Amino acid sequence: MNDDISGWNDWNKAFADWTDVSISELHGLMTGLMTVCHAPNNIEDWERLLSELSFSIPDEAALTLLAEEAEDTSFQLKDKDDAYQYSPLVPDDEHDLYERVIALKQWANGFMTGFGVTDSVLTAEENSMFADLAKIGAIRIEPDDEFEGGEESYLYLYEFVRMVPVSLAIRPRKPLMSLPLIAGLAINAKTAKELEEEGLKPKTMPPVIDVMNKNNPS
């Protein structure tokens, strides 16, 4: 799949001025949420979620792209046949292997964050899958390093990562705004970003893997 078909070029353009995280990590975060949640009905819900995660707010065009992609991803993952066509947002094979590996690593970390804030409990099998996904998220490689296993290893990791949301998307969906991260806020509550700007330290979130495994230790 090339960069035009995958949406890589569109995302790069839309988020060119937003540098909080990479587009692959943001896409992974969105996908992690959409394996459990219904797509929000408006971009304001995305603004609220991103603010609570201490991200700055992208411009309207970028938010609209995120919202549209989330809706498409949610519907795709709900359909048993369409789900197998899902693809994480990473550059195509015209890009250097290093760039693709880093994008896959970033997507994995974004997905774990997104899924983690849904407060979902993992089965033993899913717990093992997340342990492997965390290893991908922990890959360390420099631009001049030779990636062990080369293209063959990358394709294996890519296929594994691609199937993670497909495997997890069997859960009943819930509204994004019902997540504890958001639903627990009072109407006039300040976001983590606002608290930080006022010099107050917001309550830190426990590590993503710990959140997901708190009721299902390995």
Side-chain angles (χ1 to χ4, degrees):
M1 184 178 294
N2 66 42
D3 288 344
D4 287 323
I5 296 175
S6 69
W8 178 263
N9 288 336
D10 289 337
W11 278 67
N12 255 327
K13 181 179 179 181
F15 289 92
D17 297 324
W18 190 77
T19 57
D20 288 34
V21 295
S22 71
I23 56 174
S24 291
E25 186 165 349
L26 180 61
H27 191 272
L29 185 148
M30 175 275 294
T31 304
L33 290 164
M34 290 304 100
T35 60
V36 177
C37 301
H38 297 293
N41 294 322
N42 53 68
I43 63 175
E44 287 76 20
D45 289 347
W46 282 108
E47 289 182 2
R48 187 173 179 188
L49 176 69
L50 292 174
S51 292
E52 190 53 34
L53 290 172
S54 297
F55 292 139
S56 61
I57 304 302
D59 63 31
E60 185 174 353
L63 278 173
T64 298
L65 177 62
L66 175 62
E68 290 175 349
E69 184 79 4
E71 185 173 4
D72 290 345
T73 298
S74 178
F75 278 112
Q76 182 180 30
L77 292 175
K78 288 176 185 176
D79 186 278
K80 184 176 181 180
D81 294 325
D82 287 349
Y84 286 94
Q85 304 304 314
Y86 173 83
S87 296
L89 186 67
V90 296
D92 68 20
D93 58 12
E94 295 296 318
H95 294 255
D96 290 341
L97 180 58
Y98 167 79
E99 186 178 351
R100 286 178 278 144
V101 171
I102 291 299
L104 199 64
K105 162 191 170 79
Q106 293 167 342
W107 187 97
N109 284 323
F111 182 88
M112 288 188 290
T113 298
F115 190 89
V117 300
T118 67
D119 201 35
S120 299
V121 178
L122 296 173
T123 66
E125 183 178 353
E126 291 168 345
N127 188 56
S128 177
M129 180 171 59
F130 264 91
D132 289 337
L133 189 63
K135 293 177 183 177
I136 296 174
I139 289 175
R140 293 186 179 183
I141 183 173
E142 298 297 329
D144 295 331
D145 291 345
E146 182 175 341
F147 184 59
E148 185 176 355
E151 291 284 347
E152 185 175 352
S153 290
Y154 169 77
L155 291 174
Y156 175 82
L157 294 178
Y158 174 86
E159 188 61 21
F160 171 80
V161 163
R162 190 181 74 80
M163 291 303 296
V164 169
V166 177
S167 302
L168 293 169
I170 57 174
R171 288 172 165 74
R173 296 296 199 279
K174 54 188 175 183
L176 186 72
M177 291 296 103
S178 73
L179 297 182
L181 180 71
I182 297 174
L185 295 176
I187 294 177
N188 61 346
K190 291 182 172 63
T191 66
K193 190 75 170 180
E194 290 169 335
L195 290 172
E196 186 177 351
E197 289 173 351
E198 293 179 6
L200 301 174
K201 187 176 181 181
K203 182 179 178 181
T204 57
M205 290 176 58
V208 172
I209 294 297
D210 290 346
V211 170
M212 293 186 295
N213 295 340
K214 63 184 177 182
N215 295 320
N216 188 24
S218 57

